[in-house]
């Protein structure tokens, strides 16, 4: 951790929003649309370059975790964990934190185990404008409740973590605690 590269905020502003604007969906839905279309099809009226960038993201999922037998395995499914994180984190650090959790949870660095994480930059339509109450992805409480294994509350950097200083992240943690009390 402590890597260089763009922050989550910059990735959303300069990559996610741009590549999902014309599709009108979140990044995961855009990736799934691209995954299911033929090489010469464009699932929405956007530049071919955007589709090619999304294809590159799809291809990178195979190597994201460095897992040997992941090539034909799904990279998406019903979420097990909700990830609470700060957008000021470097994207590489966020991926590293999730990877550490995955390896600790599964005990594996080299074998595929189907554990899925809900991460807002993939799951939320970042181009929505209007009242947040009308946002199709705005019911975070329901999303947190559906993540049966719980919440991953990221702590980085360890000596002065950012996430516990963010009111929205504390709201996510509070919601997770409320929902697990009944289970």
């Amino acid at each position: 951790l402590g890597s260089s590269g763009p922050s989550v905020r910059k990735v959303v502003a300069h990559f996610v929003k741009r590549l999902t604007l014309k599709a009108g969906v979140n990044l995961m839905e855009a990736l799934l649309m691209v995954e299911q279309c033929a090489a010469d099809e464009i699932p929405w009226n956007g530049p071919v370059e955007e589709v090619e960038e999304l294809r590159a993201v799809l291809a990178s999922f195979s190597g994201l975790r460095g897992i040997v037998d992941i090539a034909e395995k799904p990279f998406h499914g019903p979420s097990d964990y909700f990830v609470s994180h700060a957008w000021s984190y470097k994207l590489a650090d966020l991926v590293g934190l999730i990877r550490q959790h995955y390896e600790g949870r599964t005990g594996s660095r080299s074998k595929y185990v189907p554990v899925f994480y809900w991460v807002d930059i993939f799951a939320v339509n970042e181009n929505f404008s209007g009242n947040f109450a009308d946002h199709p992805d705005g019911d975070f409480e329901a999303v947190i409740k559906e993540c049966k294994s719980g919440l991953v509350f990221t702590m980085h950097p360890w000596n002065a973590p950012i996430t516990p200083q963010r009111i929205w992240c504390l709201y996510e943690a509070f919601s997770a605690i409320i929902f697990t009390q009944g289970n």
Side-chain angles (χ1 to χ4, degrees), residues 144-145 147-151 173-183:
I144 292 168
K145 196 172 190 175
C147 295
K148 297 298 182 198
S149 296
L151 175 117
F174 175 75
S175 296
I177 291 167
I178 295 298
F179 294 135
T180 58
Q181 286 181 356
N183 295 334

Side-chain angles (χ1 to χ4, degrees), residues 84-104:
S84 183
H85 65 93
W87 276 34
S88 58
Y89 287 168
K90 300 293 185 190
L91 180 62
D93 289 339
L94 176 60
V95 170
L97 290 165
I98 295 169
R99 182 178 179 158
Q100 283 179 358
H101 182 270
Y102 175 83
E103 290 171 356

Side-chain angles (χ1 to χ4, degrees), residues 119-138:
V119 182
D120 58 352
I121 65 170
F122 292 102
V124 174
N125 182 343
E126 299 294 348
N127 289 299
F128 179 82
S129 62
N131 186 338
F132 187 73
D134 299 328
H135 194 296
D137 304 315

Side-chain angles (χ1 to χ4, degrees), residues 12-136:
V12 169
H14 300 292
F15 180 77
V16 175
K17 282 187 170 191
R18 179 176 55 82
L19 292 182
T20 59
L21 180 62
K22 290 202 169 101
V25 296
N26 64 50
L27 183 59
M28 186 55 68
E29 289 171 334
L31 290 170
L32 292 173
M33 290 166 68
V34 168
E35 180 185 46
Q36 295 168 1
C37 72
D40 60 344
E41 292 178 348
I42 299 174
W44 57 88
N45 292 328
V48 174
E49 296 81 26
E50 289 179 359
V51 175
E52 292 311 313
E53 282 186 74
L54 286 168
R55 287 190 195 286
V57 171
L58 276 170
S60 73
F61 275 105
S62 325
L64 182 63
R65 292 179 276 190
I67 294 173
V68 178
D69 66 346
I70 197 170
E72 298 300 320
K73 307 294 189 207
F75 64 87
H76 59 88
S79 299
D80 298 297
Y81 293 96
F82 182 98
V83 178
S84 183
H85 65 93
W87 276 34
S88 58
Y89 287 168
K90 300 293 185 190
L91 180 62
D93 289 339
L94 176 60
V95 170
L97 290 165
I98 295 169
R99 182 178 179 158
Q100 283 179 358
H101 182 270
Y102 175 83
E103 290 171 356
R105 166 75 171 79
T106 64
S108 179
R109 292 182 123 179
S110 61
K111 186 173 190 309
Y112 174 82
V113 179
V115 176
F116 301 108
Y117 295 86
W118 190 95
V119 182
D120 58 352
I121 65 170
F122 292 102
V124 174
N125 182 343
E126 299 294 348
N127 289 299
F128 179 82
S129 62
N131 186 338
F132 187 73
D134 299 328
H135 194 296

